[in-house]
Amino acid sequence: MLVAGVCVACAWATAGPVGAQSAGWFEQRPFPDRSFTLDDIGVADYEDDGDLDVFTTNHLATQLLMANDGTGSFEDRLTAANLNQTPAFPGWEDDPNGPDMSAPGLYVYRDGGVVVRLAREPQATVSGELRFLAPVTVLSATGTQVAVTRDTATEPARNVARFSMTGDSTLRLKPESTGLPLDVEIDAPRPLSEVFVGRRAITPTARQFTLYQRDRHGMAWADFNRDGHSDIFINRGGVSGNIGRYRGAVQDELQLGDGSRFHDAIAVSGITKGTCRGRAAGAVDYNRDGLLDVFADCFGDSPRLFRAGSGGRFKNVSVALERAGVRGTAFEWLDVDQRGGEELISARKKKFDVYRRRKGEWERAQTIKGRHDANAQKLAIADYDNDGDPDIFAAAKSGSSLLVNRGGRLESEKPQSVGLPSRALTANWVDYDNDGLADLHLVPGGLFRQVAGHHFAGTGLAPPEGPALRAFASWFDFNADGSRDAVLALRGPDQGRFTSLSLLQNVGPVGHWLEVELTGRPGNRQALGAKVSATSAGRTQTQWVGQNDGSQLSQGHYRLYFGLGAATAAALKVTWPDGSVRRLGAVPADRILRITQAPGRR
């Protein structure tokens, strides 16, 4: 039924939810078996074609952009979308596989550092130089003369490795910090047709070229420039903690899309990185002006916030967050008190803080004691008790917390009190059987079904196989049949830097359903801040745009999912970000409903 466009062979092809397969509710489908140095996995409709795609972020390594053709067949289109870390040289990223060096030539690639190798040319001589921002060490130089000097005439200064190679020879260099640009120059008369760069052995078009490893972490997919196509804000890392030393040399990315390809416009965006050791990325209309702003988590430091202007540029308004002392390791934007403005929820050591904006300043509105000693891995949002306001399950390997919303304030309850495990690496609310009640998927543990009294019982469905050190999961309807499917990413203790991937198709008996996608006005086409209530058979469910995002550092999954059980229709109430309301009565079940906000002034 499902044929993957790309499949990466690996030794852990059997790693996956064996228990789920044997139970007959989920079936594993072809998908890349593993990923190298995975940092996050998520869902986005990158082509704006209505089909949900899967993406990964992988620090300095090769990513995936698995495009969905509408039937659930996936193909990796990262290169076609121009999203490689060095677009001109796909394959320069870290990867355990080296290039095929069967053809004679000069090869420049990565293998625990930077490798320059002259292969299959016993009589040839080649020279050139590599210019690093960071200090560099010569690990080995076989058949190579190399001299490392410091060029202070440039700003910033460069560490220059000048080399000359004769015959079959190899030069191995180790820069002190990765994630920085590397300038390469190959001297004449070496033909460029005999120079090969990266794992894919790409031939350069000029003798001087620059290679990047961009250390990508969070990716926020939204229409930032208001042209009707999805763009991406990408939050980059902190050069192994050395970003202060290289301030200005590292920037985040604002990849603007045209529906199929992207180009980076960060230089003219007004978004500046400074010394932010980037992790999570987000889009939010924090000031309710109808324009999407950019949020960047800075790994324990105060996060950055950039306000969108009418001219398409952004202004740094982070100082107000700094004054309020905002810190955290996991963040969510959420209308906790249901007054129409989104609060910022932060998870810190042993506690959660709720920040509210008042008269242009941020203030701490609430602090809730948490059960986690260290970092919380994931904040999962849903109105699990169907009382009309959002609740949070905070997954943490040192102690998870259930934050129940009562009258606009969050109150902590022990997960064990409702039948849930006390610890988890990740969590996702998902009504996997479409009975209208939010269930919870955990790693470890698998699916916990909601039963009477808003308690939960283990099902044995979709558990991981074996122990996991890190885990990611996203639940989405990849084949538009109304059943929530899952993509799982698990790193075991014996897998080194590899993460096993699994795609699970939901084939179990499920109830009727409605899926809703909202299109807001041009400044906020994703309708972030909107909510939808669905009423059927005397029960009302409420969901908020973005709550179904399973990624831990990224954002891009905006579809809403309503299980209707035996009901064949539902009445809908859409509350748009500006507070306006649209009602739809008796919407027939078993369809994806797309609703567009009427044009008008804010």
Side-chain angles (χ1 to χ4, degrees), residues 269-520:
S269 69
I271 299 173
T272 55
K273 186 168 186 61
T275 58
C276 176
R277 298 174 62 190
R279 290 300 184 268
V284 61
D285 181 8
Y286 81 95
N287 57 353
R288 301 182 65 197
D289 65 352
L291 304 176
L292 285 183
D293 313 301
V294 168
F295 176 78
D297 165 27
C298 296
F299 192 50
D301 200 356
S302 182
R304 303 294 175 93
L305 184 61
F306 297 89
R307 185 183 68 211
S310 59
R313 286 177 59 85
F314 294 82
K315 180 181 179 180
N316 190 342
V317 292
S318 308
V319 67
L321 294 176
E322 296 176 10
R323 283 196 296 264
V326 178
R327 297 287 191 279
T329 57
F331 294 92
E332 285 291 343
W333 292 89
L334 184 65
D335 187 1
V336 176
D337 59 12
Q338 294 296 279
R339 296 180 182 178
E342 292 189 295
E343 289 83 47
L344 177 59
I345 318 297
S346 75
R348 302 180 69 173
K349 185 176 182 180
K350 297 186 177 181
K351 67 177 182 177
F352 305 92
D353 288 326
V354 180
Y355 294 92
R356 181 179 296 120
R357 189 169 177 264
R358 189 186 302 272
K359 296 181 180 180
E361 293 293 326
W362 292 94
E363 61 181 20
R364 186 184 292 110
Q366 188 182 0
T367 295
I368 309 103
K369 184 178 180 180
R371 300 183 63 254
H372 53 289
D373 293 328
N375 298 345
Q377 276 69 49
K378 173 75 183 296
L379 303 182
I381 298 168
D383 178 17
Y384 88 96
D385 50 8
N386 283 344
D387 64 354
D389 49 31
D391 311 297
I392 299 175
F393 187 90
K397 59 185 178 183
S398 59
S400 300
S401 300
L402 178 62
L403 305 182
V404 181
N405 194 330
R406 294 190 172 95
R409 291 183 64 83
L410 299 175
E411 299 180 5
S412 180
E413 292 188 1
K414 292 182 179 180
Q416 304 95 305
S417 67
V418 294
L420 294 170
S422 61
R423 290 174 173 81
L425 295 174
T426 193
N428 283 270
W429 295 102
V430 52
D431 183 2
Y432 76 97
D433 54 1
N434 284 344
D435 66 351
L437 297 174
D439 312 303
L440 190 64
H441 179 257
L442 301 173
V443 178
L447 274 164
F448 287 79
R449 185 173 185 267
Q450 188 173 167
V451 295
H454 305 305
H455 281 64
F456 296 83
T459 66
L461 298 174
E465 181 185 4
L469 298 177
R470 297 189 70 193
F472 309 86
S474 282
W475 288 80
F476 66 122
D477 182 6
F478 72 72
N479 56 356
D481 66 352
S483 298
R484 295 283 291 278
D485 314 297
V487 58
L488 306 181
L490 306 170
R491 179 178 296 176
D494 59 345
Q495 292 181 248
R497 296 172 65 189
F498 290 93
T499 300
S500 297
L501 304 181
S502 300
L503 179 67
L504 305 183
Q505 182 178 357
N506 187 339
V507 297
V510 299
H512 293 290
W513 54 278
L514 270 177
E515 298 178 14
V516 178
E517 288 189 347
L518 301 182
T519 299

Side-chain angles (χ1 to χ4, degrees), residues 80-412:
N82 200 42
L83 284 177
N84 292 94
Q85 296 189 29
T86 302
F89 297 96
W92 176 248
E93 302 91 338
D94 279 349
D95 192 279
N97 303 304
D100 177 1
M101 291 182 279
S102 57
L106 181 71
Y107 292 81
V108 183
Y109 61 98
R110 294 193 58 84
D111 182 13
V114 177
V115 182
V116 182
R117 181 177 177 187
L118 184 59
R120 299 180 179 274
E121 295 195 43
Q123 306 302 320
T125 298
V126 181
S127 62
E129 65 181 31
L130 294 87
R131 302 172 65 87
F132 300 85
L133 280 175
V136 61
T137 301
V138 178
L139 297 181
S140 63
T142 305
T144 304
Q145 293 181 335
V146 58
V148 178
T149 59
R150 186 160 175 82
D151 182 2
T152 58
T154 61
E155 179 61 38
R158 295 296 199 276
N159 298 283
V160 182
R162 182 76 193 175
F163 66 88
S164 177
M165 315 182 78
T166 301
D168 288 343
S169 51
T170 303
L171 171 64
R172 292 183 176 272
L173 301 166
K174 182 72 172 180
E176 183 179 87
S177 296
T178 55
L180 296 169
L182 165 62
D183 297 324
V184 181
E185 181 174 355
I186 307 300
D187 295 340
R190 182 69 190 183
L192 291 179
S193 61
E194 297 175 5
V195 177
F196 308 102
V197 178
R199 176 174 51 89
R200 299 190 192 178
I202 303 297
T203 298
T205 58
R207 295 197 173 275
Q208 297 182 3
F209 52 91
T210 302
L211 302 170
Y212 295 91
Q213 285 188 290
R214 298 189 186 270
D215 195 16
R216 291 167 171 169
H217 292 265
M219 302 177 75
W221 302 71
D223 182 7
F224 291 106
N225 67 344
R226 309 158 214 165
D227 67 350
H229 300 295
S230 290
D231 312 309
I232 323 166
F233 169 69
I234 304 177
N235 202 0
R236 295 180 59 192
V239 197
S240 303
N242 297 311
I243 192 167
R245 190 188 309 171
Y246 304 106
R247 183 169 184 161
V250 177
Q251 298 295 337
D252 294 321
E253 299 170 64
L254 183 61
Q255 296 281 354
L256 302 181
D258 62 9
S260 60
R261 289 174 59 84
F262 296 84
H263 71 276
D264 190 9
I266 197 71
V268 296
S269 69
I271 299 173
T272 55
K273 186 168 186 61
T275 58
C276 176
R277 298 174 62 190
R279 290 300 184 268
V284 61
D285 181 8
Y286 81 95
N287 57 353
R288 301 182 65 197
D289 65 352
L291 304 176
L292 285 183
D293 313 301
V294 168
F295 176 78
D297 165 27
C298 296
F299 192 50
D301 200 356
S302 182
R304 303 294 175 93
L305 184 61
F306 297 89
R307 185 183 68 211
S310 59
R313 286 177 59 85
F314 294 82
K315 180 181 179 180
N316 190 342
V317 292
S318 308
V319 67
L321 294 176
E322 296 176 10
R323 283 196 296 264
V326 178
R327 297 287 191 279
T329 57
F331 294 92
E332 285 291 343
W333 292 89
L334 184 65
D335 187 1
V336 176
D337 59 12
Q338 294 296 279
R339 296 180 182 178
E342 292 189 295
E343 289 83 47
L344 177 59
I345 318 297
S346 75
R348 302 180 69 173
K349 185 176 182 180
K350 297 186 177 181
K351 67 177 182 177
F352 305 92
D353 288 326
V354 180
Y355 294 92
R356 181 179 296 120
R357 189 169 177 264
R358 189 186 302 272
K359 296 181 180 180
E361 293 293 326
W362 292 94
E363 61 181 20
R364 186 184 292 110
Q366 188 182 0
T367 295
I368 309 103
K369 184 178 180 180
R371 300 183 63 254
H372 53 289
D373 293 328
N375 298 345
Q377 276 69 49
K378 173 75 183 296
L379 303 182
I381 298 168
D383 178 17
Y384 88 96
D385 50 8
N386 283 344
D387 64 354
D389 49 31
D391 311 297
I392 299 175
F393 187 90
K397 59 185 178 183
S398 59
S400 300
S401 300
L402 178 62
L403 305 182
V404 181
N405 194 330
R406 294 190 172 95
R409 291 183 64 83
L410 299 175
E411 299 180 5
S412 180

